[in-house]
Amino acid sequence: MRISELSRRSGVPTATIKYYLREGLLSPGRATAATQAEYDESHLRRLRLVRALIGVRGLSVSATREVLGAVAAHAGERHQVLGLVLGARPVDEEAEPAPAPGAAEVDALIGELGWEVSERAPARAVLGETLETLRSLGAEVSRGTLRGYAELAERTAVLDLDQLDPRADPLEQAEHALLRTVLMEPALLALRRLAQENESARRNA
C-alpha cells in the first residue's frame, strides 16, 4: 500500500508517519521510485502499536523506540512482548532494581499468591511505595485485605487476557492489550465507585 493508504487504515496522519519513519519507529517501505515506497500489513501493525504507545500509554518518542527495540529482541515471545508493551516488565532486564520501600512485604505477598512476576517489574515498587504511604498516614492495609485485592486483580487479569485473540500477530495482540488495559482503567475505577455506593446503600438502609 502507498503511504496515503497506510495513513487511512491506521488513522495516523501522513506527516506523522513520515516523522515516525525519520525517528526510526517505523521501518522504511519498499522503494518503488525515488520518492515513493510501498508498505505492507507489518507496517500497519507496527504503526498502530506506535500510536498506542505514544497516544494511549503516553510514552515519549525515545521511550517508545526503546520499547520497540526490546520487543524486537523478544519477537515471538508473546509473554515478553505483552509485558514490555504494557510496562509490566522493564525494557532493561539486566539493570539492578533500585531498593524500594515495602519491597519485603511485596515479595512476601507475591510468594504467597504463587505469582510469576519479574523481580524488576515496575509495579513492585509502586505497590511497595503505596503501602508505605498508607502506613505513614495511619491507614495501613492488613495482609488479608491486601490479599483480597490481589485476588480481585488476578480475576481482572484473567478477563483482560481472555479478550485477546490467541491467533493474532504478537504486535496486534500487544496493541489490543495496551488499549484495553489503559482505556479500561477509568471504567474500572467508575465501576468501583458505583459498587461502593451500592454497598453503602445496602449496609445503611
Side-chain angles (χ1 to χ4, degrees):
M1 71 188 88
R2 301 282 292 277
I3 195 169
S4 57
E5 176 70 3
L6 184 61
S7 173
R8 185 187 68 79
R9 292 183 60 187
S10 66
V12 179
T14 299
T16 302
I17 294 175
K18 290 180 178 179
Y19 172 66
Y20 290 164
L21 286 165
R22 290 195 301 273
E23 291 295 319
L25 301 183
L26 195 63
S27 60
R30 184 177 66 85
T32 57
T35 58
Q36 293 183 352
E38 284 187 345
Y39 303 88
D40 57 27
E41 293 296 321
S42 66
H43 289 92
L44 181 61
R45 287 191 294 270
R46 170 93 168 205
L47 183 54
R48 285 174 170 163
L49 180 56
V50 169
R51 179 186 61 179
L53 288 168
I54 293 175
V56 176
R57 192 175 154 196
L59 295 185
S60 65
V61 167
S62 60
T64 297
R65 189 184 299 111
E66 288 183 10
V67 169
L68 292 173
V71 165
H74 294 282
E77 300 175 51
R78 289 178 186 264
H79 175 60
Q80 285 279 17
V81 169
L82 284 174
L84 289 164
V85 169
L86 293 174
R89 298 183 70 86
V91 172
D92 185 0
E93 286 279 2
E94 301 302 319
E96 284 297 322
E105 188 174 2
V106 173
D107 290 347
L109 175 67
I110 290 172
E112 286 178 15
L113 294 165
W115 286 0
E116 294 183 34
V117 179
S118 168
E119 291 184 0
R120 296 171 176 78
R124 283 178 176 265
V126 173
L127 179 56
E129 289 167 5
T130 301
L131 294 175
E132 287 292 310
T133 299
L134 286 168
R135 186 173 293 114
S136 71
L137 295 173
E140 185 170 358
V141 178
S142 70
R143 176 63 65 83
T145 298
L146 185 58
R147 184 175 180 121
Y149 279 121
E151 289 167 352
L152 286 173
E154 188 172 45
R155 292 201 292 275
T156 301
V158 170
L159 286 172
D160 288 338
L161 296 186
D162 278 350
Q163 296 178 74
L164 300 181
D165 183 355
R167 300 164 300 178
D169 176 274
L171 291 187
E172 184 179 358
Q173 194 179 63
E175 179 216 356
H176 289 168
L178 177 58
L179 293 174
R180 290 183 184 279
T181 298
V182 176
L183 297 182
M184 273 298 292
E185 283 178 349
L188 292 175
L189 179 59
L191 286 169
R192 184 184 187 187
R193 295 289 182 266
L194 293 170
Q196 286 173 336
E197 180 179 350
N198 172 70
E199 183 62 16
S200 175
R202 187 187 69 79
R203 294 186 182 199
N204 297 292

PDB file of all heavy atoms in Angstrom, residues 18-34:
ATOM      1  N   LYS A  18       5.605  10.033   8.423  1.00  0.00           N
ATOM      2  CA  LYS A  18       6.930  10.411   7.925  1.00  0.00           C
ATOM      3  C   LYS A  18       7.869  10.744   9.092  1.00  0.00           C
ATOM      4  O   LYS A  18       9.071  10.416   9.057  1.00  0.00           O
ATOM      5  CB  LYS A  18       6.810  11.600   6.971  1.00  0.00           C
ATOM      6  CG  LYS A  18       6.143  11.241   5.645  1.00  0.00           C
ATOM      7  CD  LYS A  18       6.035  12.449   4.730  1.00  0.00           C
ATOM      8  CE  LYS A  18       5.409  12.061   3.391  1.00  0.00           C
ATOM      9  NZ  LYS A  18       5.260  13.226   2.487  1.00  0.00           N
ATOM     10  N   TYR A  19       7.320  11.366  10.117  1.00  0.00           N
ATOM     11  CA  TYR A  19       8.121  11.675  11.309  1.00  0.00           C
ATOM     12  C   TYR A  19       8.565  10.391  11.997  1.00  0.00           C
ATOM     13  O   TYR A  19       9.732  10.256  12.383  1.00  0.00           O
ATOM     14  CB  TYR A  19       7.295  12.541  12.258  1.00  0.00           C
ATOM     15  CG  TYR A  19       7.932  12.763  13.607  1.00  0.00           C
ATOM     16  CD1 TYR A  19       9.116  13.493  13.735  1.00  0.00           C
ATOM     17  CD2 TYR A  19       7.344  12.242  14.760  1.00  0.00           C
ATOM     18  CE1 TYR A  19       9.704  13.691  14.972  1.00  0.00           C
ATOM     19  CE2 TYR A  19       7.923  12.443  16.005  1.00  0.00           C
ATOM     20  CZ  TYR A  19       9.099  13.160  16.107  1.00  0.00           C
ATOM     21  OH  TYR A  19       9.674  13.357  17.331  1.00  0.00           O
ATOM     22  N   TYR A  20       7.655   9.436  12.126  1.00  0.00           N
ATOM     23  CA  TYR A  20       7.999   8.145  12.745  1.00  0.00           C
ATOM     24  C   TYR A  20       9.063   7.420  11.923  1.00  0.00           C
ATOM     25  O   TYR A  20       9.949   6.761  12.486  1.00  0.00           O
ATOM     26  CB  TYR A  20       6.766   7.261  12.868  1.00  0.00           C
ATOM     27  CG  TYR A  20       5.740   7.720  13.877  1.00  0.00           C
ATOM     28  CD1 TYR A  20       4.438   7.212  13.857  1.00  0.00           C
ATOM     29  CD2 TYR A  20       6.059   8.653  14.864  1.00  0.00           C
ATOM     30  CE1 TYR A  20       3.491   7.628  14.792  1.00  0.00           C
ATOM     31  CE2 TYR A  20       5.122   9.073  15.789  1.00  0.00           C
ATOM     32  CZ  TYR A  20       3.833   8.552  15.755  1.00  0.00           C
ATOM     33  OH  TYR A  20       2.900   8.954  16.666  1.00  0.00           O
ATOM     34  N   LEU A  21       8.986   7.534  10.611  1.00  0.00           N
ATOM     35  CA  LEU A  21       9.993   6.926   9.739  1.00  0.00           C
ATOM     36  C   LEU A  21      11.359   7.559   9.993  1.00  0.00           C
ATOM     37  O   LEU A  21      12.374   6.860  10.104  1.00  0.00           O
ATOM     38  CB  LEU A  21       9.593   7.088   8.273  1.00  0.00           C
ATOM     39  CG  LEU A  21       8.451   6.192   7.776  1.00  0.00           C
ATOM     40  CD1 LEU A  21       7.901   6.707   6.443  1.00  0.00           C
ATOM     41  CD2 LEU A  21       8.936   4.753   7.619  1.00  0.00           C
ATOM     42  N   ARG A  22      11.398   8.897  10.084  1.00  0.00           N
ATOM     43  CA  ARG A  22      12.658   9.598  10.339  1.00  0.00           C
ATOM     44  C   ARG A  22      13.244   9.235  11.698  1.00  0.00           C
ATOM     45  O   ARG A  22      14.463   9.158  11.858  1.00  0.00           O
ATOM     46  CB  ARG A  22      12.457  11.122  10.253  1.00  0.00           C
ATOM     47  CG  ARG A  22      12.184  11.651   8.861  1.00  0.00           C
ATOM     48  CD  ARG A  22      12.361  13.164   8.804  1.00  0.00           C
ATOM     49  NE  ARG A  22      11.475  13.868   9.734  1.00  0.00           N
ATOM     50  CZ  ARG A  22      10.238  14.250   9.468  1.00  0.00           C
ATOM     51  NH1 ARG A  22       9.712  13.989   8.277  1.00  0.00           N
ATOM     52  NH2 ARG A  22       9.511  14.903  10.358  1.00  0.00           N
ATOM     53  N   GLU A  23      12.361   9.012  12.678  1.00  0.00           N
ATOM     54  CA  GLU A  23      12.810   8.708  14.035  1.00  0.00           C
ATOM     55  C   GLU A  23      13.128   7.227  14.232  1.00  0.00           C
ATOM     56  O   GLU A  23      13.544   6.815  15.324  1.00  0.00           O
ATOM     57  CB  GLU A  23      11.746   9.143  15.045  1.00  0.00           C
ATOM     58  CG  GLU A  23      11.575  10.641  15.162  1.00  0.00           C
ATOM     59  CD  GLU A  23      12.816  11.329  15.708  1.00  0.00           C
ATOM     60  OE1 GLU A  23      13.416  10.772  16.653  1.00  0.00           O
ATOM     61  OE2 GLU A  23      13.193  12.386  15.188  1.00  0.00           O
ATOM     62  N   GLY A  24      12.915   6.425  13.211  1.00  0.00           N
ATOM     63  CA  GLY A  24      13.230   5.007  13.303  1.00  0.00           C
ATOM     64  C   GLY A  24      12.197   4.177  14.040  1.00  0.00           C
ATOM     65  O   GLY A  24      12.475   3.028  14.413  1.00  0.00           O
ATOM     66  N   LEU A  25      11.013   4.729  14.255  1.00  0.00           N
ATOM     67  CA  LEU A  25       9.954   3.970  14.918  1.00  0.00           C
ATOM     68  C   LEU A  25       9.255   3.033  13.942  1.00  0.00           C
ATOM     69  O   LEU A  25       8.603   2.073  14.355  1.00  0.00           O
ATOM     70  CB  LEU A  25       8.912   4.922  15.535  1.00  0.00           C
ATOM     71  CG  LEU A  25       9.431   5.913  16.579  1.00  0.00           C
ATOM     72  CD1 LEU A  25       8.271   6.721  17.138  1.00  0.00           C
ATOM     73  CD2 LEU A  25      10.151   5.196  17.698  1.00  0.00           C
ATOM     74  N   LEU A  26       9.393   3.324  12.679  1.00  0.00           N
ATOM     75  CA  LEU A  26       8.764   2.535  11.620  1.00  0.00           C
ATOM     76  C   LEU A  26       9.822   2.239  10.575  1.00  0.00           C
ATOM     77  O   LEU A  26      10.568   3.135  10.175  1.00  0.00           O
ATOM     78  CB  LEU A  26       7.609   3.338  11.004  1.00  0.00           C
ATOM     79  CG  LEU A  26       6.594   2.608  10.143  1.00  0.00           C
ATOM     80  CD1 LEU A  26       5.833   1.568  10.956  1.00  0.00           C
ATOM     81  CD2 LEU A  26       5.615   3.600   9.526  1.00  0.00           C
ATOM     82  N   SER A  27       9.907   0.986  10.141  1.00  0.00           N
ATOM     83  CA  SER A  27      10.918   0.627   9.149  1.00  0.00           C
ATOM     84  C   SER A  27      10.530   1.183   7.773  1.00  0.00           C
ATOM     85  O   SER A  27       9.336   1.319   7.471  1.00  0.00           O
ATOM     86  CB  SER A  27      11.078  -0.891   9.069  1.00  0.00           C
ATOM     87  OG  SER A  27       9.846  -1.495   8.703  1.00  0.00           O
ATOM     88  N   PRO A  28      11.508   1.505   6.935  1.00  0.00           N
ATOM     89  CA  PRO A  28      11.200   2.049   5.605  1.00  0.00           C
ATOM     90  C   PRO A  28      10.405   1.053   4.771  1.00  0.00           C
ATOM     91  O   PRO A  28      10.525  -0.168   4.950  1.00  0.00           O
ATOM     92  CB  PRO A  28      12.587   2.287   4.993  1.00  0.00           C
ATOM     93  CG  PRO A  28      13.512   2.339   6.161  1.00  0.00           C
ATOM     94  CD  PRO A  28      12.946   1.414   7.185  1.00  0.00           C
ATOM     95  N   GLY A  29       9.585   1.595   3.875  1.00  0.00           N
ATOM     96  CA  GLY A  29       8.852   0.735   2.965  1.00  0.00           C
ATOM     97  C   GLY A  29       9.741   0.294   1.813  1.00  0.00           C
ATOM     98  O   GLY A  29      10.906   0.681   1.723  1.00  0.00           O
ATOM     99  N   ARG A  30       9.178  -0.520   0.924  1.00  0.00           N
ATOM    100  CA  ARG A  30       9.926  -0.964  -0.256  1.00  0.00           C
ATOM    101  C   ARG A  30       9.900   0.139  -1.302  1.00  0.00           C
ATOM    102  O   ARG A  30       8.832   0.559  -1.755  1.00  0.00           O
ATOM    103  CB  ARG A  30       9.298  -2.236  -0.829  1.00  0.00           C
ATOM    104  CG  ARG A  30      10.062  -2.839  -1.999  1.00  0.00           C
ATOM    105  CD  ARG A  30       9.409  -4.122  -2.463  1.00  0.00           C
ATOM    106  NE  ARG A  30       8.094  -3.880  -3.015  1.00  0.00           N
ATOM    107  CZ  ARG A  30       7.875  -3.510  -4.303  1.00  0.00           C
ATOM    108  NH1 ARG A  30       8.897  -3.342  -5.131  1.00  0.00           N
ATOM    109  NH2 ARG A  30       6.636  -3.323  -4.735  1.00  0.00           N
ATOM    110  N   ALA A  31      11.095   0.640  -1.653  1.00  0.00           N
ATOM    111  CA  ALA A  31      11.169   1.753  -2.603  1.00  0.00           C
ATOM    112  C   ALA A  31      10.645   1.342  -3.974  1.00  0.00           C
ATOM    113  O   ALA A  31      11.029   0.300  -4.508  1.00  0.00           O
ATOM    114  CB  ALA A  31      12.604   2.247  -2.717  1.00  0.00           C
ATOM    115  N   THR A  32       9.758   2.153  -4.526  1.00  0.00           N
ATOM    116  CA  THR A  32       9.222   1.914  -5.874  1.00  0.00           C
ATOM    117  C   THR A  32       9.646   3.014  -6.837  1.00  0.00           C
ATOM    118  O   THR A  32       9.505   2.869  -8.039  1.00  0.00           O
ATOM    119  CB  THR A  32       7.682   1.835  -5.840  1.00  0.00           C
ATOM    120  OG1 THR A  32       7.159   3.045  -5.278  1.00  0.00           O
ATOM    121  CG2 THR A  32       7.230   0.648  -5.006  1.00  0.00           C
ATOM    122  N   ALA A  33      10.145   4.112  -6.295  1.00  0.00           N
ATOM    123  CA  ALA A  33      10.643   5.242  -7.093  1.00  0.00           C
ATOM    124  C   ALA A  33      11.513   6.078  -6.167  1.00  0.00           C
ATOM    125  O   ALA A  33      11.646   5.774  -4.972  1.00  0.00           O
ATOM    126  CB  ALA A  33       9.490   6.067  -7.655  1.00  0.00           C
ATOM    127  N   ALA A  34      12.086   7.149  -6.704  1.00  0.00           N
ATOM    128  CA  ALA A  34      12.996   7.974  -5.910  1.00  0.00           C
ATOM    129  C   ALA A  34      12.325   8.544  -4.671  1.00  0.00           C
ATOM    130  O   ALA A  34      12.957   8.688  -3.621  1.00  0.00           O
ATOM    131  CB  ALA A  34      13.548   9.104  -6.776  1.00  0.00           C
TER     132      ALA A  34
END
